[in-house]
Amino acid sequence: TTIKLFNIQEAQIPIAKKWGEEHGIDILTTPDRLALENVDRLSNVDGIVLCENKLFNPKLYLELKKQGINHIVQRTAGYENFDLKEAKQQGVLFANVPDYSPESIAEYTLSLALNHYRHLRDIEHQVSQYDFRWTDGIKGTTIAGKVVGIFGTGRIGSLVAKYFKALGAHILAYDINPDSSLKDIVDYQSTPEAVYKEADIITLHMPQTESNTHQFNADVFKLFKTGAYFINTARGGLFDAADLIQVINDGKLSGAAIDTYEYEFQYIPRQVSADMIDDKILKQLIKHPKIYYSQHLAYFTDTSLNNMIIKGLNTSLEIIQSGTTSRRLT
Ligand code: NAD
């Protein structure tokens, strides 16, 4: 039995090889994406594990079938780059790995809030100038006593709620499907507006769908508490970036931490130069003193990279051996 991993990072190869030895499975790896140009190199392969962050060509489903491959495992939570209807139509079983490390994203979210309220960037800059004064600009504020508003209390959002609660914050949340097991931690609101109006920190942990695309736009930001802080480690399409920059410039919001931006994968994960970026909004996000921008890396921990490989391979093997998996989406 042979399983091939695409889009693999150098550091993940030994993890995959070790798993292969332990399970008696041959492992093939490539840094390339699966594409029409290389799909014919799968003749002796039984399963494939992808990490697709760009649009997946739907013509590939049929091509995979021609190669005798009837399943795809995407080793991340997100699968918006796949046309699942087409996969189903072509008889390709599609599965993802939604639970590789919710702690990684939740902890990063917490660190973004702490970074903002304790001014770590400004402290570093000030100290680098040998300026050791206790200036107003670096005077912190505690999370204790703050109201945190969470959109989406699933795997990641529920952990975010617990972490902020442990620091002494009051947790408001809006979820289309509230989780009653969180009742001692989360104060669920029946409308998004109730959260917009009361929260000091608003953090997004829901998927992007047709109905919530650009939900966070100028009209909604205007309902926020003046001075509120906005954190988005979920999906870039959930907010209007130009509107966000405007409300921060107007002094309505105190700032934002943006880990996911709508058009990010044009550049991520590559090193480019400033003149190669023609997206003016992205440049503003990067340079804005009140915005902390990062390149979709909330997930990026040793635990995540390890679990993506192990859980991805386990899922592929399960499908090869039993014909299905509880992680299947088609
Ligand atoms: P999940 O499916 O476990 O939870 C999502 C929650 O959002 C659910 O409780 C659902 O009921 C709720 N929800 C759905 N639509 C909603 C809406 N319109 N309004 C309010 N709530 C809504 O998902 P998860 O694993 O916790 O992931 C949450 C988000 O984090 C996803 O967008 C995911 O893509 C993103 N993510 C980001 C990174 C990163 O590196 N930045 C990594 C992994 C996941």
Side-chain angles (χ1 to χ4, degrees):
T1 305
T2 303
I3 302 178
K4 183 162 182 172
L5 296 113
F6 286 81
N7 251 17
I8 195 151
Q9 298 175 26
E10 196 65 32
Q12 293 177 312
I13 296 175
I15 305 167
K17 295 280 183 201
K18 183 162 174 268
W19 181 95
E21 281 162 25
E22 286 166 5
H23 291 79
I25 303 293
D26 291 330
I27 298 292
L28 300 176
T29 63
T30 171
D32 299 335
R33 302 168 60 212
L34 177 64
L36 288 174
E37 295 73 51
N38 60 15
V39 69
D40 58 350
R41 279 177 235 157
L42 294 172
S43 50
N44 293 319
V45 171
D46 305 286
I48 55 169
V49 179
L50 312 182
C51 185
E52 189 55 71
N53 57 22
K54 295 199 175 71
L55 217 52
F56 182 80
N57 187 341
K59 287 188 187 139
L60 282 164
Y61 298 122
L62 184 61
E63 296 304 317
L64 283 171
K65 293 286 281 196
K66 284 188 197 161
Q67 299 291 322
I69 294 178
N70 59 7
H71 77 264
I72 291 176
V73 177
Q74 163 78 358
R75 57 182 189 270
T76 69
Y79 50 87
E80 57 276 355
N81 291 320
F82 294 86
D83 182 342
L84 294 194
K85 262 195 208 142
E86 184 61 20
K88 198 174 172 136
Q89 197 125 39
Q90 298 294 346
V92 173
L93 190 166
F94 180 94
N96 69 335
V97 178
D99 54 348
Y100 55 82
S101 177
E103 293 83 1
S104 296
I105 299 97
E107 287 181 19
Y108 187 70
T109 303
L110 191 69
S111 71
L112 290 171
L114 289 166
N115 182 21
H116 173 66
Y117 285 105
R118 295 311 300 265
H119 309 289
L120 300 187
R121 270 211 295 200
D122 297 331
I123 293 169
E124 189 177 341
H125 176 73
Q126 199 181 301
V127 168
S128 75
Q129 310 296 306
Y130 307 102
D131 179 353
F132 304 125
R133 289 171 303 149
W134 292 331
T135 55
D136 265 354
I138 58 171
K139 185 172 70 199
T141 308
T142 59
I143 302 276
K146 291 257 169 321
V147 177
V148 177
I150 300 179
F151 282 83
T153 52
R155 275 174 292 263
I156 298 167
S158 61
L159 285 178
V160 170
K162 288 171 191 162
Y163 296 169
F164 277 112
K165 180 84 176 173
L167 295 185
H170 180 70
I171 315 297
L172 300 181
Y174 178 76
D175 194 303
I176 51 170
N177 197 2
D179 177 353
S180 59
S181 74
L182 297 172
K183 67 177 182 337
D184 295 337
I185 296 161
V186 171
D187 184 359
Y188 278 111
Q189 305 294 299
S190 53
T191 63
E193 287 72 23
V195 181
Y196 301 150
K197 287 182 182 149
E198 297 299 327
D200 299 299
I201 301 169
I202 292 206
T203 179
L204 311 188
H205 303 287
M206 59 185 172
Q208 186 193 341
T209 61
E210 253 171 56
S211 64
N212 67 16
T213 294
H214 285 202
Q215 175 175 337
F216 293 83
N217 57 31
D219 292 339
V220 161
F221 288 132
K222 279 179 192 140
L223 301 177
F224 280 26
K225 261 172 100 166
T226 296
Y229 192 62
F230 178 69
I231 303 177
N232 183 5
T233 59
R235 279 295 175 263
L238 290 168
F239 78 111
D240 184 311
D243 285 3
L244 175 72
I245 292 165
Q246 189 60 51
V247 291
I248 292 174
N249 289 344
D250 293 345
K252 176 70 187 167
L253 267 61
S254 60
I258 299 301
D259 186 54
T260 54
Y261 166 63
E262 210 167 356
Y263 306 110
E264 61 194 6
F265 281 120
Q266 242 180 299
Y267 307 104
I268 297 173
R270 288 183 298 135
Q271 185 174 19
V272 298
S273 57
D275 56 347
M276 285 164 73
I277 300 182
D278 49 21
D279 181 335
K280 289 199 183 84
I281 301 289
L282 176 59
K283 277 190 167 161
Q284 287 182 57
L285 290 176
I286 294 167
K287 294 290 176 194
H288 202 293
K290 293 187 172 167
I291 296 175
Y292 192 90
Y293 174 77
S294 54
Q295 66 273 39
H296 200 131
L297 52 62
Y299 85 97
F300 189 58
T301 64
D302 44 6
T303 311
S304 292
L305 295 183
N306 195 63
N307 288 349
M308 282 174 165
I309 295 295
I310 306 258
K311 292 188 181 213
L313 286 169
N314 283 340
T315 307
S316 183
L317 185 58
E318 186 188 358
I319 299 167
I320 292 167
Q321 289 178 338
S322 75
T324 190
T325 168
S326 58
R327 297 174 188 273
R328 72 184 293 169
L329 297 174
T330 63

